[in-house]
Amino acid sequence: DGQPQPHVTTWLAPRPVFVESGPTPHGGPAACTTFLSTDSPPDGDLPRDLEFTPDGSAVVIVNRNTDNLTFFDVATQTITHTVAIGDFPVDVAVTPDGQFAVAPNVFDNSVAIVDIPTHTLLENVPITGDQPFQVKVTSDSKFAIVGVINDGIASSFSVIDLVARTEVRSFASASQGVMGFFFTPEVGIGGNIFTQFALSSDNVKVVLPDRSTNQVFVYDLTNGTQLSVLPTADLPTSVDISADGATAVVGHEGATKTVSEIDLNALAVTGSFLTANNLGSQVIRITPDKSHAIAAISNNVIFVNLTTGLTTATISTGVVGDIEISFDGQYAFVSNFNARVIDIASRTLVDTIQFAACADAATSPVEHRAVALNNRFREDIHLYNTNGPAGFFEGFTGSGQPPEGDSSRDLAISADGQTLVACNIISRNVSIIDVPTTEVRSIVEVGDRPRAVEITPDGTHAVVCAMDSHQVVVIDLATDTAVATLPIFNRPAQVRISPDSQFAYVLNVAGADRVSFISLNGAASFIMSQLSAGQTGSVGLNLSGVELTADGSIFAVCDSFNDLLRLYDTALQTQVAAVPVGDFPIRVDFSPDGSKAYVTNAFGDSVSVVVVNGAASFVQATVSFIDFPIPINVDSTGSFVYVGGTGASPGIRVIDTASNTIVAAALFPSGVPLDTHLSPLDSILYVSGSNSEMLRIAAAGPATAIVDSTPLSAAAPDMVFHDATGVAAFGHPGLDGVEFAAHVTPGDLNDDGTVDELDVPIFVQVLLSGPTSFTARCAADVNGDEITNGGDISPFLALLLVP
């Protein structure tokens, strides 16, 4: 009735993907998905910047993905408060009087003003323009100046009155915005690298390097006028201003190899100093006495004399995350896996503090302390004592209030399909999920970088490999508690469990690579023996693979760097064969009877067919012309092998095991196969594709073909599938969650006609009575809460009349 009106829904988590029921273009049934966040609010996801409060007691951290500020108490090393602000904040500044924390909200076109004493959001102040991204505050604590991207060409600055909480000025600027990216695929962490500007201590001059025009622009904050345009060397990038506001230094990246010195009183370039190496890391600092610029080059920092232009010191630091100067000007702190403390006066390294990789950093305004963010590989806050040679690592915590379930990647599902365990790489724990309700029932701490998990066939325990804590954790699924922790050096990364649930077989992929044979007995679990596994590792994010025969008698390891398939007798706990295969074996699967092993050789573009016969095992054939093959599945009869090619012409190749030849190819229109599962119940190959989709492929030997695809919230590197219920689960490290997918029939509908998000159709017998009795098969939810459309089954019945 009347005019059509738009309906808008805003999702607070990754969008659920709904597909209408009925036939798809390929002729198969549709699918629906449900996204389950493993986060536990309030979280602090993807911390991007940090600032100390003036008294040094706390650090304010801005978290991009959870749209909030968190407050880190330095004394207790805990997150004490979380304040929600606007959408996509990436920078924060704290006023010198300690009253306000200020953060631009990129996608809200606003600037958040948070009252620090009460930890409350006072206002998200609207600004002129689009995408505010960077902020500085004046030394009198009255104003904030905010860089605004707009279209990245015609950018601008916004000036905010912090007391009145209003924008008082907006003026045009040279180009500002994104100039690069970082991305860590394993944990799904990624972000923008932005242009920089600096504010002088007299609260007047704004200095903006413009890479696109090879100039430095200087603006007057008080009235928005352009004071000067200074031609410089190419690619001016990083900038810093001396404490007295008189001198700026600019780092020029790329092949320019230059540091520029600018007199801000004369508005002139007074020095252009060549360096021996390219500058990098988008960071430069001026020493407190203005004698030197400290700049990052590859794996080092250099001191450049601002009078002579000479490089007077080169100090090895590794890749530079940030350079921050102590409150008294005595030391420079360089963040890294091996953080460095440098004596500025002598330009010498005085301390190395090892813990973990970190980037953005801040130093205390009152003592020799530094805080840095591990925001490339984790979501952690590191606290360092930086008192020269006496410095040490004080501790770390997550950037959000615990518990968190961050970067859910590798999964395991129980034999009955009721329980799912998700490894949360960033937060060092696992989420235990009740599948029918799609709810996280508990979070269990297991150690750093959990990267593999399996559930015992009897459903009593989960076995988790915590790679960077170098331990295997056994979890009792009746109580959801860790009951055994077994040290295994170095980096346990793969695990399989025997069919009788009594043993686990673990591969570690670093150091002296080994296979560990573990007796599983709850708290009494122990390592029985260990054997060499050669030289395993990874290519990209794909770890050297392992597999167990169906009867559990043979455990196979891809010794990738030695081009071997190692076979172990699990009963005798001995290696029985090391079979030479192709170049860089990465995955293996067995025929149903265990008589053959099929190995994908990533660099050899081939599959090795290995006859398994103890010490007499050998390669029977090599099937070539599959570019960069990784996932592999043998069908339930052993007749065909389905191989995922991830290089050129990606898709699934089909090998006939009788002839060891390729007999079919199901090529992908886009993306590559990341993970696969071949269901023996319906001969469907389920594929997690890099193009953010689940594909169903009819595994029919020469007639193999793509059936349909279901969009997912993101590309999923790991997928598990439960054959009996038809539920697929996908780990989404970049979204902090697990996505479930199930195919539906027209009967799998809610009362309002929408697709039931997760419930899986099963068939039940319904007896209808009347003048003529008959039995009907109709679709019902596996949860048992619905039968088709509000009990009216007539539109969907296939009837068998019984006299």
Side-chain angles (χ1 to χ4, degrees):
D1 296 329
Q3 296 298 314
Q5 298 295 320
H7 174 72
V8 178
T9 299
T10 301
W11 297 98
L12 299 180
R15 64 181 179 90
V17 182
F18 298 102
V19 183
E20 293 183 359
S21 61
T24 67
H26 297 284
C32 59
T33 66
T34 296
F35 183 88
L36 171 66
S37 174
T38 49
D39 275 337
S40 180
D43 284 322
D45 289 347
L46 220 166
R48 282 306 314 267
D49 192 34
L50 71 169
E51 288 288 339
F52 269 92
T53 55
D55 63 2
S57 66
V59 178
V60 185
I61 300 157
V62 63
N63 302 294
R64 188 196 73 184
N65 286 6
T66 41
D67 300 335
N68 56 27
L69 299 181
T70 49
F71 289 79
F72 172 74
D73 184 278
V74 173
T76 63
Q77 299 181 33
T78 59
I79 298 296
T80 58
H81 298 83
T82 302
V83 181
I85 53 175
D87 190 13
F88 210 82
V90 294
D91 195 31
V92 66
V94 172
T95 55
D97 63 4
Q99 187 66 45
F100 303 122
V102 186
N105 304 310
V106 175
F107 295 143
D108 276 349
N109 299 328
S110 67
V111 175
I113 302 176
V114 171
D115 185 73
I116 292 176
T118 62
H119 305 101
T120 56
L121 175 66
L122 299 176
E123 189 115 25
N124 282 323
V125 179
I127 57 97
T128 302
D130 297 319
Q131 301 186 56
F133 74 103
Q134 189 174 173
V135 61
K136 310 292 179 186
V137 293
T138 56
S139 60
D140 59 9
S141 301
K142 292 182 178 179
F143 297 95
I145 182 164
V146 180
V148 183
I149 296 173
N150 295 325
D151 61 2
I153 300 173
S155 301
S156 61
F157 285 107
S158 173
V159 181
I160 307 294
D161 185 316
L162 296 176
V163 177
R165 303 200 287 272
T166 59
E167 181 185 62
V168 295
R169 189 173 303 109
S170 175
F171 57 91
S173 77
S175 173
Q176 300 186 66
V178 176
M179 64 177 182
F181 304 89
F182 62 86
F183 184 54
T184 309
E186 181 185 63
V187 290
I189 287 177
N192 308 111
I193 297 171
F194 294 100
T195 57
Q196 302 178 22
F197 70 87
L199 174 64
S200 63
S201 56
D202 62 6
N203 303 325
V204 174
K205 299 180 184 69
V206 181
V207 181
L208 172 65
D210 182 11
R211 288 167 59 96
S212 61
T213 63
N214 301 324
Q215 300 176 108
V216 172
F217 290 76
V218 183
Y219 301 94
D220 188 322
L221 168 67
T222 62
N223 55 30
T225 60
Q226 181 176 291
L227 296 176
S228 185
V229 181
L230 306 173
T232 65
D234 292 347
L235 299 178
T237 301
S238 52
V239 60
D240 192 30
I241 297 177
S242 60
D244 63 6
T247 304
V249 288
V250 174
H252 301 261
E253 301 207 343
T256 310
K257 304 179 183 179
T258 302
V259 172
S260 291
E261 179 187 39
I262 298 173
D263 185 323
L264 291 180
N265 294 321
L267 295 176
V269 177
T270 53
S272 185
F273 310 121
L274 289 175
T275 63
N277 303 91
N278 296 351
L279 304 188
S281 298
Q282 303 86 40
V283 58
I284 193 169
R285 297 290 180 260
I286 188 169
T287 58
D289 63 2
K290 301 193 295 184
S291 65
H292 288 78
I294 311 174
I297 62 173
S298 177
N299 296 314
N300 296 270
V301 297
I302 57 174
F303 281 73
V304 177
N305 188 298
L306 295 177
T307 300
T308 66
L310 297 176
T311 297
T312 58
T314 300
I315 300 173
S316 175
T317 58
V319 176
V320 174
D322 200 354
I323 303 171
E324 295 293 335
I325 295 175
S326 64
F327 74 102
D328 57 2
Q330 187 173 359
Y331 299 114
F333 173 78
V334 181
S335 57
N336 196 301
F337 182 91
N338 295 306
R340 264 57 174 207
V341 180
I342 297 171
D343 184 289
I344 292 176
S346 63
R347 297 183 291 283
T348 58
L349 177 68
V350 294
D351 198 13
T352 296
I353 308 173
Q354 185 182 82
F355 180 64
C358 54
D360 306 270
T363 49
S364 169
V366 297
E367 58 186 341
H368 288 126
R369 268 179 163 162
V371 172
L373 299 177
N374 181 348
N375 57 10
R376 301 302 198 262
F377 300 95
R378 301 290 185 270
E379 290 172 347
D380 290 342
I381 307 161
H382 297 177
L383 180 62
Y384 300 84
N385 180 293
T386 58
N387 190 21
F392 60 94
F393 184 71
E394 294 192 50
F396 77 99
T397 189
S399 54
Q401 293 177 263
E404 293 189 279
D406 291 337
S407 191
S408 305
R409 181 184 173 88
D410 295 84
L411 312 173
I413 194 166
S414 60
D416 63 4
Q418 301 298 294
T419 302
L420 184 87
V421 179
C423 291
N424 302 315
I425 301 178
I426 289 177
S427 51
R428 302 174 174 86
N429 52 31
V430 298
S431 295
I432 301 179
I433 298 166
D434 183 74
V435 176
T437 62
T438 61
E439 293 180 353
V440 176
R441 77 184 194 209
S442 59
I443 295 177
V444 181
E445 301 299 319
V446 295
D448 194 13
R449 199 181 173 196
R451 182 61 204 275
V453 59
E454 289 287 322
I455 297 176
T456 56
D458 62 11
T460 60
H461 293 87
V463 180
V464 182
C465 294
M467 288 184 70
D468 287 355
S469 289
H470 315 297
Q471 62 192 25
V472 170
V473 178
V474 180
I475 298 173
D476 187 322
L477 293 178
T479 60
D480 291 352
T481 56
V483 293
T485 299
L486 309 176
I488 294 183
F489 294 96
N490 190 324
R491 290 189 173 172
Q494 299 278 25
V495 58
R496 292 293 185 270
I497 297 176
S498 62
D500 62 5
S501 303
Q502 300 300 302
F503 304 99
Y505 311 103
V506 171
L507 169 70
N508 66 280
V509 296
D513 301 0
R514 290 173 290 188
V515 172
S516 297
F517 297 82
I518 299 173
S519 172
L520 293 178
N521 186 23
S525 299
F526 68 98
I527 300 171
M528 299 181 294
S529 63
Q530 294 180 315
L531 297 174
S532 172
Q535 187 65 48
T536 59
S538 65
V539 54
L541 298 179
N542 298 287
L543 297 167
S544 296
V546 301
E547 199 50 82
L548 195 62
T549 54
D551 63 3
S553 63
I554 298 295
F555 181 65
V557 172
C558 293
D559 181 355
S560 300
F561 287 89
N562 291 320
D563 299 337
L564 297 172
L565 179 69
R566 294 183 182 268
L567 301 175
Y568 301 85
D569 185 304
T570 58
L572 300 176
Q573 298 176 35
T574 58
Q575 178 180 297
V576 295
V579 183
V581 288
D583 191 1
F584 210 88
I586 193 69
R587 290 289 184 273
V588 57
D589 197 16
F590 285 101
S591 60
D593 62 3
S595 64
K596 289 184 179 179
Y598 297 86
V599 183
T600 55
N601 305 305
F603 298 152
D605 298 337
S606 64
V607 172
S608 296
V609 182
V610 177
V611 173
V612 179
N613 185 25
S617 300
F618 67 97
V619 173
Q620 182 186 60
T622 299
V623 184
S624 301
F625 308 112
I626 306 175
D627 193 29
F628 216 79
I630 295 182
I632 186 166
N633 299 89
V634 183
D635 71 10
S636 59
T637 66
S639 301
F640 297 99
V641 178
Y642 298 85
V643 182
T646 64
S649 302
I652 301 297
R653 268 67 175 188
V654 184
I655 298 173
D656 186 320
T657 60
S659 61
N660 289 323
T661 58
I662 297 173
V663 295
L667 300 183
F668 288 8
S670 59
V672 301
L674 300 177
D675 200 6
T676 57
H677 174 84
L678 180 57
S679 175
L681 297 186
D682 57 9
S683 296
I684 294 292
L685 183 70
Y686 294 84
V687 181
S688 175
S690 66
N691 203 36
S692 302
E693 61 182 347
M694 177 185 75
L695 292 95
R696 294 198 317 149
I697 297 176
T704 295
I706 295 174
V707 176
D708 58 22
S709 67
T710 298
L712 301 175
S713 296
D718 192 49
M719 172 188 69
V720 293
F721 190 88
H722 190 254
D723 293 307
T725 58
V727 171
F730 302 85
H732 286 310
L735 301 179
D736 294 349
V738 175
E739 191 163 15
F740 294 92
H743 277 77
V744 297
T745 67
D748 195 35
L749 302 175
N750 295 313
D751 293 346
D752 61 1
T754 61
V755 174
D756 194 321
E757 293 182 31
L758 174 64
D759 299 350
V760 183
I762 61 174
F763 285 99
V764 298
Q765 299 292 322
V766 179
L767 179 64
L768 303 180
S769 60
T772 304
S773 297
F774 58 88
T775 300
R777 297 178 73 239
C778 68
D781 291 338
V782 73
N783 290 347
D785 57 352
E786 296 170 1
I787 295 181
T788 63
N789 194 7
D792 178 12
I793 61 176
S794 58
F796 311 111
L797 288 182
L799 302 181
L800 174 64
L801 294 180
V802 180

